[in-house]
Amino acid sequence: MARSILHIGAHRTGTTSLQRFLHENAGTLNSNEIEFLCPPESRTNSIPQAVALTLERRSPSPTGKLVISEENLLGTMEHNIQTGTLYPNAKSNLERLSTIFQPDVVMLSIRELGDFWTSAILFSLSRSDMPFPSKTKLGALCQASRTWTDVIDDIAPVFPKAKLVVREFDHLKDNPKRFLKIASGWPDWNETKLNRRPQNMRPAEDEIVSVLLERRDFDALSRLGDTWDTQIFSAEQRDMMYASYQSDLEKLWAKLGSALLETRENPIRQRSVEATWSSSHAPKTADQTVFLHIGKTGGTFLKSLAAAASDAPENLTLGSHGDTLISTIKKFGRKRKLVFFFRDPQDRFISGFNARLRQGRPTYDVTWTTAEAVAFSFFKTPVALAEALYASDEHLKSAARFAMSSIFHLKHNYSHFLHSPDALRYELEANNILMCCETEKIDANLDKIMSALGLSSASGSLADRNHAPNPTCSFSERASESLRRFWANEFEIFAACKLAAQQMGQS
């Protein structure tokens, strides 16, 4: 009877679930003289070193058994993606291991190629700084000549006496206990408990989109396709990889016979692929409308009109200052629609400074934070703060930088809400911006704004509703130049907003 098992993945085929199963049943396995090695213990040293140490400590009992599960013995996902090849170094990696360990059983799980590459790329993208593959790289993956048959042909001669058991991903994917029992023939697994909860699932769409937005990779974003029914490969590319996988399964069936674990009647003859995005946050509808409340641009006025309306639609969200271009993707999916106001950064700087100086009064009454109290002890006017941003006095300049990151409306700037000009352009090209209106033009466009939000027309004007003090502020040339220099990205976003508003035909 077999006494040792080597499970080598592959990645993204339920390997973590199998390893979790071993950990959760450690006590039962130990009482049945079954030792195991898997991550994270297998990666405390090099994997061969970890295996060698395990073999040294192994019980001398003639009935003792050993399970080693380590998918990185084949190679890594990142190396696969980088080289555009399916585990190109599998044979050499395993040969290094074979000098110290010859298992009785080798277990491997395989997966439809389009599904495998999609899952591997998205998982790696969310967990590392790996760039999103280019169109050329994705095309090369689809046409790669190396398949699972080649990987298995590399494994077999390295362990010539081992029984090779290959599982097709859709078969027993939530039952590692059954997989281990079939492969080993050990009755000990009957005493273990199975937790079918999936592990390391493919990242949700909102997570991937957020990663790409943070990286400003808008080319990749544009290639993700429609939110609900497209993956990173085209339909033609997926068909190509699916056909290759079907050919692989036929070859493996002829080669392995019953050692290929699959359900011939159903799964492999149908496209059992992850053809849709999964998201734990985004709703199934993609038409949520969100008003981004960018401070000191007229948002409070708009919210007062919406609150008075009796016909507010269910799909309308009036955002807080914490809602941003990126956070709303996480909440509602990347096809949510945006409405927001904007104004000249210098005017917004002055208004935001003065609003917090008077602690939001008379509309609100929000006490300074400790950081704001410190900032206002240094700077009594917005001009003084702006001029100090590049002061020759290092202490004064440091205080000014501190104030910019501490005063609420200044730290919650356009970069906070809209991220970047590129992000704004992406949203515009994706038809996700229903309305972006400059503050001074709100009154002229009020009917369009209300219509975009799904609200009936309202009377009134921003000028009539604004009861806040508006002290005269003569900005010096030095203050203006310093602010433009320090807030360069703010002015770029403002310019992008103005262009977007023009393209949308606002008066």
Side-chain angles (χ1 to χ4, degrees), residues 240-501:
M240 185 185 307
M241 288 184 285
Y242 180 72
S244 175
Y245 184 65
Q246 291 301 312
S247 176
D248 243 1
L249 289 176
E250 295 295 345
K251 294 174 185 176
L252 292 175
W253 180 257
K255 185 188 297 283
L256 300 173
S258 61
L260 174 62
L261 305 181
E262 55 150 347
T263 304
R264 298 291 289 181
E265 294 81 9
N266 185 25
I268 69 166
R269 294 295 171 259
Q270 298 180 13
R271 294 201 65 166
S272 180
V273 297
E274 293 179 353
T276 60
W277 283 104
S278 62
S279 174
S280 58
H281 303 290
K284 291 184 179 180
T285 56
D287 61 351
Q288 190 75 13
T289 299
V290 183
F291 174 70
L292 291 183
H293 188 177
I294 300 174
K296 312 315 298 174
T297 63
T300 300
F301 164 66
L302 187 281
K303 284 184 172 181
S304 69
L305 295 181
S310 59
D311 59 346
E314 293 184 359
N315 69 332
L316 173 62
T317 295
L318 300 174
S320 68
H321 292 312
D323 290 310
T324 69
L325 183 149
I326 291 176
S327 73
T328 54
I329 290 174
K330 295 179 179 180
K331 288 182 180 180
F332 307 113
R334 66 186 168 105
K335 288 297 181 180
R336 83 289 178 254
K337 307 305 179 185
L338 301 176
V339 176
F340 59 89
F341 302 149
F342 65 95
R343 69 191 294 190
D344 182 279
Q346 181 172 298
D347 293 339
R348 186 177 174 277
F349 170 82
I350 295 169
S351 179
F353 181 98
N354 288 330
R356 289 308 301 139
L357 181 64
R358 61 177 186 269
Q359 300 182 72
R361 303 183 186 106
T363 306
Y364 303 106
D365 188 0
V366 182
T367 306
W368 289 336
T369 64
T370 301
E372 284 180 318
V374 172
F376 288 122
S377 72
F378 275 89
F379 305 104
K380 307 302 182 184
T381 67
V383 175
L385 172 55
E387 288 182 341
L389 288 171
Y390 292 95
S392 57
D393 184 324
E394 289 296 326
H395 293 288
L396 186 60
K397 182 169 73 173
S398 178
R401 305 296 174 92
F402 174 81
M404 294 294 286
S405 64
S406 301
I407 297 173
F408 185 87
H409 288 305
L410 306 190
K411 70 177 181 179
H412 288 81
N413 53 21
Y414 290 143
S415 296
H416 164 76
F417 288 105
L418 302 175
H419 190 274
S420 65
D422 286 340
L424 194 65
R425 284 189 284 269
Y426 162 75
E427 295 289 358
L428 184 64
E429 291 174 4
N431 296 316
N432 288 335
I433 299 177
L434 296 182
M435 190 78 175
C436 63
C437 184
E438 197 166 359
T439 300
E440 63 185 36
K441 297 181 180 180
I442 289 176
D443 290 344
N445 289 277
L446 188 56
D447 286 344
K448 291 181 181 179
I449 294 167
M450 298 298 282
S451 176
L453 294 171
L455 301 170
S456 57
S457 298
S459 59
S461 70
L462 178 60
D464 293 339
R465 299 289 184 97
N466 188 5
H467 304 300
N470 188 25
T472 302
C473 179
S474 179
F475 230 56
S476 68
E477 184 176 345
R478 176 185 169 190
S480 182
E481 289 178 354
S482 294
L483 186 64
R484 281 187 171 275
R485 180 180 172 188
F486 186 79
W487 258 6
N489 194 56
E490 295 296 288
F491 283 90
E492 289 178 9
I493 295 175
F494 171 67
C497 287
K498 284 185 72 73
L499 182 60

Side-chain angles (χ1 to χ4, degrees), residues 6-28:
L6 176 63
H7 172 243
I8 51 178
H11 297 88
R12 312 308 300 150
T13 62
T15 297
T16 302
S17 293
L18 186 145
Q19 292 162 351
R20 183 196 63 182
F21 168 76
L22 295 174
H23 279 293
E24 290 181 346
N25 288 279
T28 301

Side-chain angles (χ1 to χ4, degrees), residues 46 51-52 54 63 80-81 107 128 159 164 185 262 264 298-299 381:
S46 70
V51 172
T54 299
T63 58
N80 284 348
I81 297 165
M107 298 169 60
S128 70
F159 305 111
L164 179 60
E262 55 150 347
R264 298 291 289 181
T381 67

